[in-house]
Amino acid sequence: QVRLVESGGGLVQAGGSLRLSCETSGIIFGPYVMAWYRQAHGKEREWVAAITSGGTTAYTDSVKGRFSISRDNARETVALQMNRLQPEDTAVYYCNRRPAISTWGRGTEVTVSS
């Protein structure tokens, strides 16, 4: 059974930081690209950051230089360090493979106040 459990979200002021974590099971983690996505209220889910099994990373333009994705292949976890948060980063954040599989976790909510 596939499980994706995101945590670490919360309310933070603009300019602040949060670190998100994702625990996975049943997903065959190792060989695949893992990613973080987010969905703001009333908008479609969008890709935010991705990391290959070897550690190569990629980011959507709006978070480059502020967010950092990492993974632990032994623990099958993915993290997202978010710095200099802005109100437009407010969203529910999810982890998944990239391309994503059909199963999604509940996400973790990030709210950035101005």
Side-chain angles (χ1 to χ4, degrees):
Q1 181 180 2
V2 174
R3 291 184 70 242
L4 300 164
V5 181
E6 301 91 352
S7 63
L11 172 64
V12 64
Q13 288 188 331
S17 298
L18 284 173
R19 183 175 178 83
L20 307 184
S21 297
C22 174
E23 297 183 2
T24 76
S25 61
I27 196 174
I28 309 179
F29 186 91
Y32 295 97
V33 176
M34 293 299 297
W36 283 92
Y37 302 78
R38 66 187 180 187
Q39 186 169 19
H41 182 67
K43 296 187 177 181
E44 292 190 356
R45 188 176 289 155
E46 65 172 351
W47 165 74
V48 175
I51 184 168
T52 69
S53 59
T56 301
T57 58
Y59 301 91
T60 194
D61 285 347
S62 62
V63 309
K64 283 180 181 177
R66 301 188 298 120
F67 289 12
S68 178
I69 187 172
S70 59
R71 65 190 285 166
D72 185 327
N73 290 331
R75 292 188 169 88
E76 299 189 338
T77 59
V78 190
L80 186 68
Q81 177 66 41
M82 306 187 297
N83 299 324
R84 291 184 282 133
L85 282 159
Q86 302 168 0
E88 48 266 40
D89 295 318
T90 295
V92 179
Y93 284 72
Y94 303 87
C95 70
N96 206 313
R97 284 186 193 167
R98 181 168 169 83
I101 63 172
S102 58
T103 301
W104 291 86
R106 298 179 66 176
T108 186
E109 188 165 9
V110 172
T111 303
V112 185
S113 63
S114 57

